[in-house]
Amino acid sequence: MISETETSPKPSPVELIKESSNYLRGTILEGLADTSTGAISSDDTQLTKFHGIYQQDDRDIRRERRRQKLERAYSFMIRIRVPGGICTPEQWLVIDRLASEHANDTIKITTRQAFQLHGVLKGNLRSSVNQINKSLLTTIAACGDVNRNTICNPNPYESHIHEEVYAVTNRIAEHLSPRSRAYHEIWINGTLAAGGEQKDEEPIYGKRYLPRKFKIALAIPPRNDVDVLAHDLGFIAIVEEGSLAGFNLTVGGGMGMDHNKPTTFPRLADVIGFVNPDQVLAVAEAVVTTQRDFGNRSNRKNARLKYTIEARGIDWFLAEVESRVGFTLKPSRPFNFESMGDRYGWSRGTNGKWNLNLFIENGRVLDTDSQPTRSGIREIAKIHDGDFRLTANQNLIIGNISESRKAAIEALVSRHGLSDGGKQSGIRLNSLACVALPTCGLALAESERMLPGILDQLEEVIDGCGLRSDEITIRMTGCPNGCARPYNAEIGLVGKAPNRYNIYLGAAFDGTRLNKLYHKANNTAEILEKLAPIIRAYASERREGERFGDFTIRKGYVEACRHGNEFHN
Ligand code: SRM
Ligand code: SF4
């Protein structure tokens, strides 16, 4: 437990920026108008995150620009919030057009069911955000110290349950959306309304918003394809006799940590009780406001909800939430997860409509000479009368396809080579990589551009021992922040320095146990050297039905990590 004095030292600089920003206005508008630089002011870079916009620069040419005494090659990443990952074909076409007109000709499907456009120049930001808003999508609160994109299982395993859970997802996203009019004034109107900030009110967040980002997921067992336990707040749907009875509530998950800093660690959430569907909003708000009032505002490295809970204890946290909502949570109910992966290929919902889950390597939708993925999806969007679903595994579902359009969509899928068609290995189909270089300012090493090649080599080993279709989860990130949730993968590869990765092993296949460090600072050749014998041993020595992560623990490669605070031990 910590005392009040320990929690209230000097606020971090970001706290002061938020507080004096007039509800997220800052000097963003002036910065956008300044044509003498491709950048905006450093304070404003903190504020634009709340508007879904990150300033970045092309790190591939940073050194050369410095040599030529030029300013960095600044551009912006726009993150588009898509609650539950569902958008219309028309919205897909808008994002696709913007990718060509203002971005780098690619669409990135993120690990949180959102879109990202990279490489947008300052002068094109307002026009892009405007068009996104016209399509009824938004970028507000896609980033920043607020509730981010609320995510939910994308594949309607049981369509009617999915519809209900998706509706709850949207209600949460709406309820926890910031109320400031700054977004509208800056991006839509292009002018600050006189006295606008005096009319603003943030009933949930207040002037300083949250101490740190906040993330919510809803999962429908048996699929844990949203990694619900990696979230600050989670809702696990409990289905009884074919109906949605309510949700188990989970709190205090998160992935980010720093290498060599044991006070930071990934943590899986605790399951703390059960709520009825009509209690969800009140409980979500109570969890958020508890974190607002008690989260660490002086040290951003320890500001996530997981640290508030570690510091004060889960019993204290539950009591605080219950006192805010005015009722006691019921005991949690039994549930069972089977996997974190996507259900590839065709599936039919209980509503009779078809869904096709496509594998999009690392979520990067682009055209290459051999693989016209972006063109193919564009052609599908033109004729599709259902929806598109972004998965938290960076994949895409063409959802709710009517029987009458199925054949035409199938033909486009085949013409553009979009379907896996059984070609990909089980490990690749269960792989994730974060963006990292060249756009991510925090990357210590490659990730998205590196993992496909590592998988090519791993597949030789895997094929050699007959494991091609075995599912093994592998996730790579270019730094320890954990954007591809690497500590929840059976094999985690985490960047430490250029071409140096820590290898983590031993997470559960269903996302209910973290992994642990196996070997530090390996180059790509060493990754192969370390992993190949373990994979071969798995092929010959595993028990019936034993998962790779469980095997690495049974054989003593790593110890089981039962709780986040044991991660570094
Ligand atoms: Fe992330 C920061 C990309 C999901 C933990 N993340 C970043 C930034 C914005 C870098 C920055 O701050 O300058 C990256 C932009 C890279 C780029 O060029 O696009 C970035 N994060 C991503 C995405 C795009 C990875 C991807 O390849 O899909 C994901 C976007 C999700 C979305 O749509 O909202 C993404 N990030 C995650 C996740 C996974 C999740 O939420 O399920 C995590 C781990 C879970 C968690 O939050 O604990 C994650 N990102 C971080 C952190 C560490 C937070 C922490 O608590 O320590 C940072 C750094 C920070 O916040 O200071 C970060
Ligand atoms: Fe960037 Fe690190 Fe996130 Fe990868 S994990 S996108 S390198 S912040």
Side-chain angles (χ1 to χ4, degrees), residues 49 54 56 77 79 108-116 118 142 148-149 151 212-213 215 226 230-232 253-257 301 304 306-307 362 394 433-436 439-442 448 481-485:
K49 293 180 187 176
Y54 276 82
Q56 305 185 315
M77 176 267 275
R79 190 178 286 163
K108 170 83 179 182
I109 299 174
T110 75
T111 50
R112 297 190 59 71
Q113 299 183 308
F115 289 116
Q116 279 187 189
H118 288 102
R148 308 267 184 110
N149 198 35
I151 72 173
R212 206 61 166 89
K213 55 177 69 166
K215 300 180 176 181
V226 290
H231 285 74
D232 296 279
M255 290 279 114
M257 61 125 185
K301 291 282 175 202
R304 294 292 293 273
K306 61 183 174 181
Y307 301 116
N362 304 327
Q394 302 176 314
C434 74
V435 179
T439 53
C440 178
L442 305 179
E448 183 186 329
N481 280 323
C483 297
R485 300 182 291 266

Side-chain angles (χ1 to χ4, degrees), residues 200-260:
D200 274 335
E201 244 183 88
E202 290 286 9
I204 295 180
Y205 294 119
K207 269 197 149 191
R208 291 191 299 165
Y209 294 83
L210 296 180
R212 206 61 166 89
K213 55 177 69 166
F214 194 90
K215 300 180 176 181
I216 303 180
L218 291 86
I220 311 172
R223 317 295 287 192
N224 186 18
D225 49 12
V226 290
D227 257 333
V228 67
L229 300 179
H231 285 74
D232 296 279
L233 171 59
F235 294 92
I236 300 174
I238 302 297
V239 179
E240 287 169 357
E241 293 167 17
S243 304
L244 180 67
F247 299 90
N248 281 348
L249 191 70
T250 73
V251 292
M255 290 279 114
M257 61 125 185
D258 272 7
H259 289 306
N260 308 324

